[in-house]
């Protein structure tokens, strides 16, 4: 039941060929990754010194000096190495690989005899290893390096870093596994990393250690309090000021009912937990993951996918508390949602997860980077005012523009690894045996006679989760290659072209219909040249379905209500195509009235893209503008010259004008017509400092 | 030109007899003042220890121990003594006076040989006197004790504390006046206090020292930076983190164009500056006061009179930045606006100042106290949610309920002294000589023959600034007593009854027509028994006038556009009455569209009273409610049993209801009718923790 239903097709089998994301991947590979390497090596003059690589050199004894940076500075290099691994998987680059090999050599050299690896403690306070798990991020840094080791091996076949991280994981296992060896990480990450190492190596101890860290969380007595009381070393004590919620330590995860505390920590924890739950068939834990997903997606998420609405603790607050101007919505938190979504989607394919994943990819993650890949947002507000952000005491963290680097530089490399690993988010395969078939269950089109000769793999289902153009080699039905082409998110037509290794292959192609999309129609030809089609209406974001699919001849098409996927089960030959058509009208979107900040307001979306209004197009004081209910909203043709290519929207709105010198007046402000232009949210702030709003009064 | 046009009639000459404020004064006198004394003396078990009196005992050598509390803890006793003085002036109380005398003896005992008085430095760090003016509040505490000394002398005729504070002021004068003795207070207050001492004693050196502190402010080099650099004593350094704006030290006051920084400091500074400007006929300085008043009142003030919209530095932010839920609007800052308003009003009578003074008195000041006088708000939000305030990390300062005392206990005694000194805000008198008359100018009704026999004082103008019921002895036209009776703010009818010491008296009675009030009508009988009347329309808050007054016979009535006062000039006899009638309809009020937080919203007022909607009456999730433009709003009869007596409002509104489980939906939320009730803002949160909003969507 909780075993993963599907397995994601790895990055290495997928080539992203997408007008939208290939440009971004290219920017990441050509600009961000080399830029970040130079930052980590302190070669960029105008950004805060990173010192990350120098810390490793000092720890390795290759240089003298003192540690500099955050106690989690190591993780920047780890995330960068992971991004490089993903980059090499999709775009081989000998020179980059050689340099990465050299940095890996440095990491290896910084590892201690006993497997321990952390430059802060090695350089600065070797006597205090593992003494302050609440604040010191040792397990967090270890987790990131483990992820890098796994990714680098998968991308290049080279196991030098993998061996380093196995020794590190073994060291951690010795230190924490078993009775009398308490401890949990202040910042979750190790759990999901250990699971990745387990999936690669098959070493069950890594799975068990991940599970241990998850199960120990939120137990009494409070581990963090204990370690604080037992240690005289109180150098770092940020966590003292934070509540137990901050580190998701307020309750055992299985008992938690809402996502709480530091949003990135929460997402990383849940990603690891969902993996452990599926792998160990732990239904209770999986149910907790579903419950927390639901709370997050239905109560605590911005329209853009942003989570963690306050900068205080970079944290969740309360259900429906989603202020736009003080939105924190850290880029890393949105990246974390992608991890969690992918994990849930793999276990139980459903658009409940895939729609949010898509929301993140087209909005809340990529808003974190400038279009040219050189500057970044850590915070992703949904309403911004350069006269306030960073200007008024108390808004220091809110930058009115993306900036070149951050002292706390978690977000840029996190984006780099997400964007380079995109290919790994597109397809997952459900392998079904004849036994699966006999036991009934959720198999589509099971009418007798549908499929003449069931063969090995004939019941496999290939899930297409996202509409990102790509060519993928799929381990199903004896080997299938599918090419998806289109111009999403700007256009709603795309084509799946199938090539089979065998002369013919039976399998089911599952295509997601986003909840906001209605209708979605599918057309394909059968062997005899007859055209088949299906169409399905849903009522938008709410995801309720109005009609099912159709079924003809030996081929079958069915819409699976529960998951929100079309299932097209047939005999395929090389060259077969499936045409998908989605309508992409501009949609007015409303928030639940319990969201105070959005009361009386409307936002505009088209496909998965959330739109925003900028001062540069609409004049300042955007809060004085509104889009009346009856105002027509026009989507323009795709403009390749605007913001690296976007579809912009226009509407005839109204703007309230100040009447006189009086702050308060018995007369409602007079309104004048105003021509409003909206651009995709992710592309805001690429034309200088300007006001911005997603939600407009209606 | 800048010399004060009028002089306020002192508290001692006015007896407040007002259904609204007498109750509050009574609460302050019977409950707050004794309660605060017990707090200051550490006799109340469940509130934070004050230690204020013990600090004095230790400084006086009567007790051993260490200083405890804020470095400005002394000011709490000083403000309390000032409140006692005002209380004794309006309500003699021998036992209280005896206790106050004893505390004054203690203060005297704590004063040092050289006149220095500050328990922190005397007890804890005598070697660091005057070394850190930025943070240490020595001049601030001195200022408050000087105010207390002046008030206590005026109320009781006893000069013991006055002598103490004269010695203190002399000590300060020696330390700071003259070349090579730099220094300005981090927290203004000494300036206005020295002016009070100057007005009482006539000692010009106090005026000159006040002027010096004002003129030195904002000069280069930055004094605070200098003192920091020159001292190795860095114990207190809050100001280091704050900008020069925080302490109004960014520019010379004469060059400042907007109210900036810590709102209370700014108000205290401007109160002193306005006094100095008028007294020294310094038009440049007075013009700066007018300019800053205008910026405050027209750009940076909440509808309730609250100022300082952010808790970061308890400060002003930007023009039109007036968020409701994170409004800081410190009680003390509203009290400070009253001081500043009174000073400006005295110099140049105008409803520009008096309307705001009234706004503060009926809203933003008294919202700081529970109706029973035992609990207090430091922060006065215009929108509150107990699920957030104090509950969510980052909102610690925002209490969902008034509390018994504050560690930083500036507000409760500040309210106590304001409420007990209310009598001093009601009347001011412009003494006019025959010379004034000859030189022309702004004298009303100067037609030849209007007044048959001009006598001494016949050109005096008595300004009635507020409609608070009272009986006052006025030093005009040879001695006049006026009794004002009414039931304001609930009813708009009131009567002025005049008694003259002479058989007849010539003078002008000036009655303010608030800008929001239209029409206001006035009726009176002349000697012959003929009834005269005048009526004036204005278009509400904006204050534009639609008609002038009328003029009949030897009596003259004129509406003075510039100041917004009716001027009734006539021959008066004892027993003469003037009837005033104001319409008090419920008013919908709108904010300038540049106020983002209020866009699309309406607030309700009636008379000077701002209304608020509470969850306890209207259900939670108030942001889902709105008051459509065409909804009728009813004002109920005065209800003596509700909230110590209020007029409540009701309207038929609409409430958006959550539609389904989806956070975002393509359908606008469905609305249902909702019966909405509003109560006066100042009275909110007297029926338990509840949501509250002033601004409602329209």
């Amino acid at each position: 039941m909780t075993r993963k239903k599907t397995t994601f097709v790895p990055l290495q089998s997928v080539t992203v060929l997408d007008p939208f994301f290939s440009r971004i991947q290219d920017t990441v590979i050509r600009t961000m990754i080399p830029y970040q390497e130079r930052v980590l090596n302190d070669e960029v003059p105008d950004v805060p010194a990173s010192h990350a690589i120098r810390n490793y050199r000092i720890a390795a004894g290759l240089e003298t000096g003192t540690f500099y940076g955050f106690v989690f500075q190591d993780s920047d290099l780890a995330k960068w190495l992971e991004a490089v691994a993903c980059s090499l998987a999709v775009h081989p680059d000998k020179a980059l690989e050689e340099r990465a090999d050299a940095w890996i050599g440095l990491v290896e050299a910084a590892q201690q005899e006993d497997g321990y690896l952390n430059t802060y403690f090695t350089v600065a306070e070797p006597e205090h290893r593992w003494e302050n798990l609440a604040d010191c991020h040792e397990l967090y840094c270890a987790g990131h390096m483990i992820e890098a080791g796994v990714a680098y091996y998968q991308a290049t076949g080279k196991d030098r870093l993998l061996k380093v991280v196995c020794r590190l994981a073994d060291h951690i296992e010795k230190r924490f596994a078993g009775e009398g060896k308490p401890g949990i990480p202040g910042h979750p990450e190790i759990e999901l990393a250990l699971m990745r190492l387990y999936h690669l190596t098959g070493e069950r101890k890594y799975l068990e250690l991940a599970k241990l860290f998850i199960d120990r969380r939120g137990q009494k007595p409070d581990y963090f309090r204990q370690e604080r009381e037992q240690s005289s070393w109180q150098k770092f004590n940020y966590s003292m000021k934070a509540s137990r919620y901050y580190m998701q330590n307020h309750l055992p995860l299985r008992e938690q009912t809402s996502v709480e505390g530091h949003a990135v920590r929460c997402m990383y924890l849940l990603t690891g937990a969902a993996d452990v739950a599926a792998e160990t068939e732990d239904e209770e834990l999986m149910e907790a993951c579903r419950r927390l997903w639901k709370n997050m997606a239905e109560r605590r998420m911005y329209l853009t996918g942003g989570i963690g609405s306050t900068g205080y603790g970079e944290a969740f607050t309360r259900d429906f508390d989603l202020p736009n101007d003080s939105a924190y919505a850290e880029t890393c938190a949105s990246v974390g949602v992608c991890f969690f979504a992918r994990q849930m989607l793999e276990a139980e394919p459903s658009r409940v997860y895939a729609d949010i994943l898509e929301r993140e990819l087209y909005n809340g993650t990529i808003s974190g980077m400038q279009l040219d890949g050189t500057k970044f947002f850590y915070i992703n507000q949904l309403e911004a005012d350069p006269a306030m952000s960073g200007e008024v005491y108390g808004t220091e963290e809110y930058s009115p523009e993306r900036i070149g680097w951050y002292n706390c530089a978690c977000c840029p490399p996190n984006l780099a690894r997400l964007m380079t690993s995109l290919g790994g988010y597109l397809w997952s395969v459900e392998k079904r045996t004849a036994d699966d078939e006999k036991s009934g269950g959720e198999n589509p089109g099971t009418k007798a006679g549908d499929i003449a000769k069931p063969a090995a793999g004939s019941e496999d289902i290939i899930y297409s989760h996202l509409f990102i153009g790509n060519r993928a080699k799929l381990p199903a039905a004896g080997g299938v290659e599918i090419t998806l082409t289109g111009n999403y998110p700007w256009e709603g037509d795309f084509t799946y072209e199938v090539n089979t290794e065998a002369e013919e292959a039976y399998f089911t192609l599952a295509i997601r219909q986003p909840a906001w999309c209605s209708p979605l129609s599918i057309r394909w030809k059968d062997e005899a040249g007859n055209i088949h089609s299906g169409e399905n209406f849903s009522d938008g974001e709410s995801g309720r379905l109005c009609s099912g699919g159709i079924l003809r001849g030996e081929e079958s098409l069915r819409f699976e209500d529960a998951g929100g996927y079309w299932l097209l089960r047939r005999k395929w030959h090389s060259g077969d195509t499936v045409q998908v058509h989605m309508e992409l009208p501009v949609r007015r979107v409303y928030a639940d009235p319990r969201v105070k900040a959005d009361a009386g307001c409307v936002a505009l979306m088209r496909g998965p893209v959330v739109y925003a209004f900028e001062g540069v197009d609409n004049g300042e004081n955007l809060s004085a503008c509104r889009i009346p209910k009856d105002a027509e909203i026009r989507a323009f043709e795709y403009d390749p010259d605007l913001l690296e290519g976007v579809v912009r929207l226009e509407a005839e709105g109204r703007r309230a004008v100040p009447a006189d010198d009086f702050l308060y007046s018995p007369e409602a402000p007079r309104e004048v017509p105003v021509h409003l232009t909206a651009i995709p949210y992710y592309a805001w702030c690429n034309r200088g400092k300007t006001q911005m709003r997603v939600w407009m009064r209606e």
Side-chain angles (χ1 to χ4, degrees), chain A residues 169-208:
Chain A
D170 293 345
H171 176 89
I172 292 168
E173 204 263 344
K174 272 194 214 107
R175 171 67 183 72
F176 291 102
E179 286 289 313
K181 298 176 178 178
I184 49 171
H187 194 315
E189 152 69 24
I190 188 74
E191 303 85 347
L192 74 87
L194 287 168
M195 288 306 291
R196 287 187 73 175
L197 193 59
Y198 158 71
H199 290 304
L200 178 67
T201 64
E203 280 281 3
R204 211 166 159 85
K205 64 182 175 185
Y206 300 139
L207 162 65
E208 277 158 12

Side-chain angles (χ1 to χ4, degrees), chain A residues 471-490:
Chain A
R471 186 175 59 242
K473 284 184 200 309
L474 303 156
V480 177
E481 187 185 79
I482 301 184
T483 304
L484 171 61
T485 52
N487 188 21
Y488 196 70
W490 313 122

Side-chain angles (χ1 to χ4, degrees), chain A residues 94-413:
Chain A
K94 217 166 165 209
L96 175 63
E97 187 168 337
E98 278 173 13
R99 296 202 309 279
D101 285 343
W103 300 132
I104 286 168
L106 181 61
V107 172
E108 186 182 50
Q111 186 168 39
Q112 304 298 290
E113 282 290 314
D114 60 357
Y116 184 84
L117 176 60
N118 184 292
T119 73
Y120 175 75
F121 284 95
T122 298
V123 170
E125 314 227 30
E127 69 279 22
H128 291 305
R129 280 185 188 183
W130 309 123
E131 233 175 81
N132 180 346
L133 299 187
D135 294 301
C136 290
H137 290 68
E138 282 160 292
L139 290 167
Y140 169 82
C141 290
H144 276 302
M145 197 56 84
I146 291 169
E147 287 204 89
V150 170
Y152 205 78
Y153 173 79
Q154 287 171 328
T156 63
K158 293 178 180 171
D159 66 358
R160 192 174 180 186
L161 188 58
L162 180 62
K163 283 179 177 163
V164 167
V165 301
C166 282
R167 284 197 298 272
L168 172 58
D170 293 345
H171 176 89
I172 292 168
E173 204 263 344
K174 272 194 214 107
R175 171 67 183 72
F176 291 102
E179 286 289 313
K181 298 176 178 178
I184 49 171
H187 194 315
E189 152 69 24
I190 188 74
E191 303 85 347
L192 74 87
L194 287 168
M195 288 306 291
R196 287 187 73 175
L197 193 59
Y198 158 71
H199 290 304
L200 178 67
T201 64
E203 280 281 3
R204 211 166 159 85
K205 64 182 175 185
Y206 300 139
L207 162 65
E208 277 158 12
L209 184 57
K211 179 171 155 51
L212 195 68
F213 282 135
I214 288 162
D215 287 341
R216 280 179 181 172
R217 211 161 192 92
Q219 301 294 346
K220 287 176 186 164
D222 177 357
Y223 175 76
F224 299 127
R225 194 188 168 124
Q226 274 191 314
E227 72 171 12
R228 205 156 59 226
E229 287 169 358
Q230 286 165 10
S231 170
S232 57
W233 183 61
Q234 298 287 355
K235 184 164 173 183
F236 299 95
N237 58 6
Y238 179 73
S239 65
M240 270 183 71
K241 290 179 278 180
S243 72
R244 293 189 69 183
Y245 288 91
Y246 176 68
M247 296 187 284
Q248 297 78 45
N249 198 32
H250 51 295
L251 277 177
L253 188 53
R254 290 156 202 277
E255 296 171 29
Q256 294 184 18
T257 55
S258 52
V259 284
E260 296 291 349
H262 187 267
V264 176
R265 293 174 202 232
C266 185
M267 288 305 101
Y268 286 12
L269 176 63
L270 290 172
T271 302
D275 201 350
V276 167
E279 204 60 36
T280 60
E281 304 193 27
D282 182 338
E283 176 59 21
E284 187 189 41
L285 186 58
M286 184 55 98
E287 187 53 33
C289 291
R290 287 188 202 106
R291 184 168 68 236
L292 293 168
W293 175 277
K294 190 172 157 73
N295 173 257
M296 173 187 74
E298 296 178 7
R299 297 284 188 273
R300 300 186 174 206
M301 179 177 276
Y302 287 98
L303 186 63
T304 54
I307 58 168
S309 44
T310 180
Y312 294 95
E314 310 183 318
F316 294 103
T317 56
R318 285 284 190 275
D319 286 354
F320 304 110
D321 176 48
L322 296 164
N324 293 309
D325 54 358
S326 61
Y328 200 73
E330 183 182 340
T331 305
C332 280
S334 280
V335 171
V337 174
C338 295
F339 300 159
F340 184 24
R342 184 178 184 276
Q343 210 64 57
M344 295 303 285
L345 200 50
E346 188 170 43
E348 41 192 40
S350 165
R351 70 179 177 197
V352 161
Y353 310 115
D355 284 4
I356 298 282
L357 173 60
E358 187 176 64
R359 182 187 292 275
E360 296 291 0
L361 292 176
Y362 289 95
N363 303 286
T365 56
I366 57 173
S367 59
M369 61 186 277
Q370 193 160 288
L371 290 172
D372 67 5
T374 63
K375 294 186 174 181
F376 308 94
F377 272 137
Y378 189 110
I379 296 172
N380 296 277
Q381 296 170 270
L382 274 77
E383 178 182 326
D385 183 355
M388 296 294 294
S389 298
E391 288 293 316
V392 168
Y393 196 40
T395 68
E396 292 79 0
E397 282 193 284
Y398 290 81
S399 167
E401 287 187 294
R402 293 179 185 83
I403 63 177
W405 199 248
Y406 288 83
N407 286 318
C408 176
C410 48
C411 298

Side-chain angles (χ1 to χ4, degrees), chain A residues 477-615:
Chain A
V480 177
E481 187 185 79
I482 301 184
T483 304
L484 171 61
T485 52
N487 188 21
Y488 196 70
W490 313 122
E491 293 168 25
D493 287 292
F494 21 87
T495 304
Y496 291 84
E497 186 183 328
V498 173
N499 280 290
T500 55
E501 285 188 21
E503 197 182 325
E504 58 181 42
Y506 286 88
F507 65 88
T508 299
L509 176 62
I511 299 170
R512 176 177 62 102
Q513 178 168 4
W516 49 260
C517 169
S518 178
L520 178 144
S521 59
I522 291 186
R523 280 164 57 92
W524 75 98
K525 260 193 245 176
D526 65 19
E527 276 178 285
N530 298 319
I531 289 173
H532 300 258
S533 70
E535 192 168 37
N536 189 23
F537 293 83
S538 87
D539 67 348
E541 314 306 322
S542 73
R544 283 189 292 262
L545 298 163
C546 302
S547 74
I550 57 162
L551 183 70
R552 284 210 194 114
E554 68 162 3
E555 292 163 327
S556 73
L557 180 68
R558 186 166 84 84
F559 184 78
E560 198 219 354
D561 278 15
Y565 284 72
W566 287 89
L567 300 175
L568 175 54
R569 181 182 186 231
R570 54 174 292 213
K571 185 169 71 187
W572 302 83
H573 299 93
S574 284
D576 280 353
T577 61
V578 178
Q579 314 287 340
V580 175
H581 173 73
M582 289 179 182
E583 291 292 324
L584 292 182
V586 181
R587 308 194 305 283
R588 283 182 187 249
V589 179
Y590 301 88
D592 186 297
R594 287 167 289 189
V595 181
K596 187 181 78 173
D598 303 336
C601 290
V602 64
L604 304 184
M605 291 186 73
R606 183 169 175 274
V609 178
V610 175
Y611 278 76
F613 295 81
E614 286 195 292

